[in-house]
Amino acid sequence: MDALLGLTVVALAVATPFLYPRLTLRRALARPLPPAALAALRRYVPIHDRLAPELQEQLHRLVKQFLHQKKFVGCAGLDVTDEMRVAIAGQACLLLLNRATGVFPSLRTILLYPGAFAAARQDVGPGGVVTHFRQTMLGESWQDGRVVLSWDDTERGALAWDGHNVVLHEFAHQLDSESGATNGAPYLGSSENYRNWSEVLSRDYAHLRRAAWMGSQDSVLDHYGATSPAEFFAVATETFFGKPWQLAQRHPALYDELAKYYRVDPRAWLDEPPAAFEPDHPASLGPAVSPALPANRSFAWASW
């Protein structure tokens, strides 16, 4: 009897680290979003009320899981509020709707600064000379379980909803890195999907690089996407959700690839803009002001 009791105690001790997170998550998901959290979600995800009821339900569940599993850390004296947590979780989880995937399983911590922050960088020049410098950033995505964000720019992108969104951008990098490399090609499931993705995104990436080199503005895609394939995917993602009508008109094949990957059509959530389709004309959600963006908007460890 004593031996059986001992074995039971040992079994429970071994199983508890595996079972406890599942039990606490189940409890968190069973609770409805508090009224204040739902109000924040509607404020910072302005398309919330235009989502179909089943998508709203998905988003609420994803947000609850995100808030339960991820740690938020305020930097430079910032006191992270529940509203800030919901704002970031709501925007990030838009990328996961209709997709059988974990809630950014590699991500553990979101570091939040009051505004743009300076990050240490180094450049290796001719002869191996290393130059150290600091670069002003709005966001960073790392493969070691961290995302770093500016709250000012998080708030501005959410309230404007005009295709410039640092949360969508950095969490697109997180999805990109799930394939094993941050290179503009997230996990797509089949070789045929990769072939189609590579053909379309490589072509549009080359066009954007040419437009950036020539100084042309005839595109809805921010020229920051010409920096690398990884940044192109992140810029295309924030444009897909923020300016879907314009992206679909000017880059239909790219829009189709993103719609297949994200399994949603954001045109259903936003009014069609005037026929002019000006690149800087946000889809209708009321008055908004596009953010003034510095040259270095984002950073992700990336490889081709």
Side-chain angles (χ1 to χ4, degrees):
M1 186 66 177
D2 290 342
L4 180 59
L5 180 59
L7 287 174
T8 302
V9 170
V10 171
L12 286 173
V14 172
T16 295
F18 300 97
L19 295 177
Y20 183 73
R22 295 184 183 183
L23 292 173
T24 57
L25 175 59
R26 186 178 300 172
R27 289 174 188 158
L29 295 178
R31 293 191 290 265
L33 280 174
L38 184 55
L41 191 59
R42 284 177 165 148
R43 171 174 169 80
Y44 291 103
V45 184
I47 60 174
H48 173 277
D49 289 350
R50 299 195 181 192
L51 299 177
E54 61 271 20
L55 291 183
Q56 289 186 19
E57 184 177 347
Q58 281 187 47
L59 183 61
H60 294 181
R61 181 181 176 86
L62 290 165
V63 165
K64 287 186 286 187
Q65 184 170 348
F66 189 105
L67 294 174
H68 178 75
Q69 294 179 329
K70 314 306 178 188
K71 179 181 179 182
F72 288 79
V73 177
C75 303
L78 180 67
D79 182 17
V80 180
T81 66
D82 288 342
E83 183 177 69
M84 293 175 181
R85 293 183 181 92
V86 172
I88 292 167
Q91 294 172 69
C93 289
L94 276 179
L95 304 182
L96 306 179
L97 294 174
N98 286 337
R99 302 176 63 234
T101 181
V103 179
F104 305 103
S106 298
L107 176 68
R108 296 187 301 276
T109 307
I110 297 93
L111 303 170
L112 195 58
Y113 282 83
F117 53 92
R121 296 283 182 267
Q122 67 178 34
D123 181 58
V124 181
V129 176
V130 178
T131 303
H132 296 273
F133 62 99
R134 298 186 70 79
Q135 189 175 54
T136 301
M137 309 294 297
L138 305 188
E140 293 184 316
S141 177
W142 295 78
Q143 289 181 313
D144 64 357
R146 291 179 294 155
V147 162
V148 190
L149 297 168
S150 154
W151 170 248
D152 282 350
D153 295 282
T154 293
E155 184 176 39
R156 184 181 297 120
L159 299 182
W161 208 261
D162 60 357
H164 295 299
N165 187 297
V166 68
V167 175
L168 296 180
H169 187 107
E170 299 307 332
F171 280 87
H173 284 317
Q174 285 290 304
L175 294 178
D176 191 2
S177 67
E178 289 178 4
S179 64
T182 310
N183 58 8
Y187 178 73
L188 298 172
S190 74
S191 57
E192 181 180 0
N193 288 342
Y194 279 107
R195 282 195 299 271
N196 295 338
W197 183 273
S198 177
E199 179 182 345
V200 172
L201 272 76
S202 295
R203 181 193 63 213
D204 283 19
Y205 172 61
H207 290 168
L208 186 64
R209 284 175 59 85
R210 186 180 306 114
W213 182 77
M214 296 179 65
S216 168
Q217 295 299 319
D218 188 23
S219 174
V220 298
L221 294 167
D222 192 296
H223 284 179
Y224 192 80
T227 307
S228 71
E231 296 299 347
F232 181 79
F233 170 58
V235 165
T237 293
E238 56 185 325
T239 309
F240 175 74
F241 283 93
K243 291 184 174 180
W245 291 95
Q246 297 95 320
L247 186 66
Q249 185 197 54
R250 294 181 181 269
H251 302 273
L254 175 60
Y255 189 88
D256 288 346
E257 287 299 313
L258 292 170
K260 284 191 292 184
Y261 175 66
Y262 285 115
R263 302 185 184 184
V264 293
D265 185 350
R267 289 174 296 186
W269 312 331
L270 293 163
D271 294 338
E272 185 175 1
F277 282 91
E278 292 297 332
D280 59 353
H281 194 304
S284 176
L285 267 175
V289 178
S290 297
L293 298 174
N296 299 299
R297 302 208 283 125
S298 167
F299 175 80
W301 283 117
S303 59
W304 178 261

